Amino acid sequence: MTSKELIQIEDQYGAHNYHPLDVVLAKGKGIWVYDLEGNKFLDFLSAYSSVNQGHCHPRIVKALTDQAQKLTITSRAFRNDQLALFCKQVCELADMDMLLPMNSGAEAVETAIKAMRKWGYKVKGIAKDKAEIITCAGNFHGRTTTIVGFSTEELYKEYFGPYTPGFKSVPYGDALAIENAITENTAAVLIEPIQAEGGVLIPPEGYLKQIAEICKKHNVLLAMDEIQTGLGRTGEMFACRHEGVQPDIFILGKALSGGFYPVSAVVTNKEVLGLFTPGEHGSTFAGNPLACAIAREALNVIVEEELPRKATELGKYFMDQLRTINSDHIKEVRGKGLLIGVELKDSAGGARRFCEAMQAEGLLCKETHETVIRFAPPLVITKKDIDWAFERIKKVLETL
Ligand SMILES: *Cc1c(COP(=O)(O)O)cnc(C)c1O
């Protein structure tokens, strides 16, 4: 079948909850993806940073196929020989005590919400059903009904109410606003170290550090949603480490499996996850041996191939290049490591048409928030590939 036919069938039978570029991908290797007709593209989205390790990384393919022939699922009714070492490995990487595995990122956020609320009641002594969690305007934490309830994006929530109570919204980037929003009922602050979906918004220097101090001072937990920013993307294993911040809770997903399989996790000190007792929470697929084997190798690749260091070096190189582009459309180039956003002026007519023009040049990018083009290639990209891509990006931005 041709791409055209498949697009027609997908549009007929698949729900239209996405607006994808019309490219039907059939193969991936490293930073490259190939459509059905064999055209080659550089993947500048990395499935929202799920494939930091590059598409179909051979080591992870091997871990997957080896494990798939041994044992794939046990449920948590029984133990398996992969879960323990997965938990230990992530805890050591995150400098934490305990891990609770889930599947999707949104499930990990939901799990963290439960854990933070329970901590609020059992440890902080908040009155029953009064626990509050502070979130930020412009956040993206996933798509469940509870999570979209505290989104500030009308599109994500408009027809999906009524919303779960217990969340308070403050502007992003303003630490004092958080301090002012804290009450005796505040259990936690849930935050992204960089708002990636929000348009690659980088908070002012020192913001995360200030929040960490405020949380400590008021006996409030700090939860970092590092689902997209974590695991090397911004040049550190976790983005909050740029400011030397260790939160109470890490929420991880996406690249935790190198893009092979949904694997997410909540990682905390003993005081938080130690509160869960048998039967209170769970998921049929979470912590299965296939997921754990994949994730263990996905993490080995990040560490052994020094992907955070690559993201730092190449991110700086790429951003310096992008800043030399002479285009009236560009308002700002910003980013950290290889999470880069090019914000266009309102007069540019939206980022989508630029993404479509780049597709014709062999680059796949996706606009975020109408006016921002996100550049987030797999971290295994080389200087040579960046040079190749830059010529094309420059051409599109300077001629369109
Ligand atoms: C992608 C993402 C999520 C949700 O993860 P899913 O696997 O899509 O449920 C949550 N938070 C952040 C910061 C994300 O980027």
Side-chain angles (χ1 to χ4, degrees):
M1 246 184 253
T2 64
S3 289
K4 209 169 161 224
E5 288 167 315
L6 287 173
I7 289 170
Q8 191 267 319
I9 295 170
E10 183 180 325
D11 283 349
Q12 183 177 345
Y13 291 100
H16 295 187
N17 56 324
Y18 279 92
H19 181 28
L21 290 178
D22 278 337
V23 56
V24 181
L25 301 174
K27 209 177 101 180
K29 190 167 191 292
I31 62 168
W32 302 102
V33 285
Y34 302 81
D35 72 8
L36 259 185
E37 285 73 25
N39 299 305
K40 175 177 165 180
F41 302 89
L42 201 163
D43 181 0
F44 263 113
L45 183 62
S46 306
Y48 308 99
S49 296
S50 298
V51 279
N52 288 355
Q53 299 88 335
H55 287 278
C56 299
H57 195 292
R59 283 181 60 179
I60 313 174
V61 170
K62 184 168 188 314
L64 181 149
T65 48
D66 286 354
Q67 186 61 41
Q69 294 173 65
K70 287 186 204 155
L71 181 67
T72 58
I73 194 161
T74 55
S75 86
R76 299 289 302 278
F78 313 116
R79 296 178 191 261
N80 71 67
D81 70 351
Q82 295 296 315
L83 176 61
L85 297 176
F86 166 63
C87 292
K88 181 164 184 274
Q89 188 173 351
V90 181
C91 283
E92 284 170 359
L93 212 57
D95 197 14
M96 292 284 191
D97 303 326
M98 262 187 180
L99 177 147
L100 195 157
M102 292 299 282
N103 310 286
S104 69
E107 284 176 313
V109 172
E110 289 275 353
T111 302
I113 291 168
K114 281 189 182 177
M116 296 185 290
R117 284 180 167 180
K118 185 159 189 195
W119 177 89
Y121 300 122
K122 297 284 284 187
V123 178
K124 185 163 175 173
I126 296 171
K128 187 171 161 37
D129 291 343
K130 294 287 183 209
E132 289 169 357
I133 293 169
I134 296 172
T135 62
C136 287
N139 71 69
F140 183 82
H141 295 289
R143 301 289 200 161
T144 65
T145 45
T146 287
I147 293 171
V148 298
F150 60 80
S151 166
T152 54
E153 182 67 46
E154 226 20 64
L155 178 66
Y156 299 166
K157 65 191 300 187
E158 187 176 5
Y159 298 107
F160 307 126
Y163 309 124
T164 308
F167 298 91
K168 238 186 194 176
S169 180
V170 299
Y172 188 64
D174 180 354
L176 260 184
I178 289 182
E179 183 152 41
N180 291 334
I182 290 174
T183 70
E184 58 181 14
N185 293 329
T186 307
V189 172
L190 169 64
I191 200 162
E192 298 155 88
I194 293 172
Q195 286 187 336
E197 293 308 301
V200 191
L201 300 180
I202 299 167
E205 184 111 21
Y207 174 63
L208 299 176
K209 205 170 181 159
Q210 262 178 293
I211 296 177
E213 281 160 13
I214 289 166
C215 285
K216 193 164 223 147
K217 180 168 136 200
H218 295 280
N219 194 26
V220 165
L221 296 175
L222 177 58
M224 283 289 164
D225 181 345
E226 293 252 16
I227 291 170
Q228 188 162 162
T229 52
L231 304 177
R233 172 56 55 189
T234 72
E236 287 277 355
M237 191 55 76
F238 304 103
C240 60
R241 288 191 177 164
H242 287 290
E243 292 194 13
V245 166
Q246 174 72 351
D248 300 291
I249 298 168
F250 273 123
I251 308 171
L252 305 177
K254 296 203 166 117
L256 190 50
S257 70
F260 280 81
Y261 195 94
V263 182
S264 66
V266 176
V267 200
T268 78
N269 53 30
K270 259 206 185 72
E271 204 194 19
V272 180
L273 278 179
L275 294 170
F276 275 118
T277 55
E280 272 189 338
H281 188 57
S283 161
T284 303
F285 272 80
N288 74 68
L290 183 60
C292 293
I294 291 169
R296 290 176 62 197
E297 193 66 350
L299 291 170
N300 287 339
V301 168
I302 293 172
V303 173
E304 288 167 32
E305 296 190 7
E306 300 184 78
L307 297 185
R309 183 181 58 77
K310 280 192 183 148
T312 301
E313 290 171 9
L314 294 173
K316 185 171 180 315
Y317 178 70
F318 189 24
M319 232 176 332
D320 285 346
Q321 280 185 324
L322 289 170
R323 289 192 171 120
T324 67
I325 294 178
N326 184 14
S327 164
D328 283 342
H329 298 309
I330 299 178
K331 188 171 168 190
E332 189 186 29
V333 176
R334 56 177 177 256
K336 213 156 219 169
L338 278 167
L339 178 58
I340 297 169
V342 174
E343 178 161 3
L344 304 177
K345 292 179 187 159
D346 291 338
S347 56
R352 172 113 187 163
R353 67 188 188 103
F354 292 87
C355 293
E356 285 168 352
M358 286 193 215
Q359 178 186 345
E361 296 289 328
L363 310 172
L364 291 185
C365 345
K366 186 76 170 77
E367 76 276 11
T368 173
H369 261 238
E370 315 273 300
T371 57
V372 180
I373 311 172
R374 170 174 28 195
F375 291 108
L379 307 182
V380 294
I381 197 168
T382 63
K383 227 175 197 156
K384 192 168 131 266
D385 298 322
I386 288 179
D387 290 340
W388 180 89
F390 176 69
E391 286 312 309
R392 285 152 182 83
I393 293 167
K394 181 177 160 79
K395 180 177 154 200
V396 167
L397 282 162
E398 289 186 354
T399 59
L400 207 66

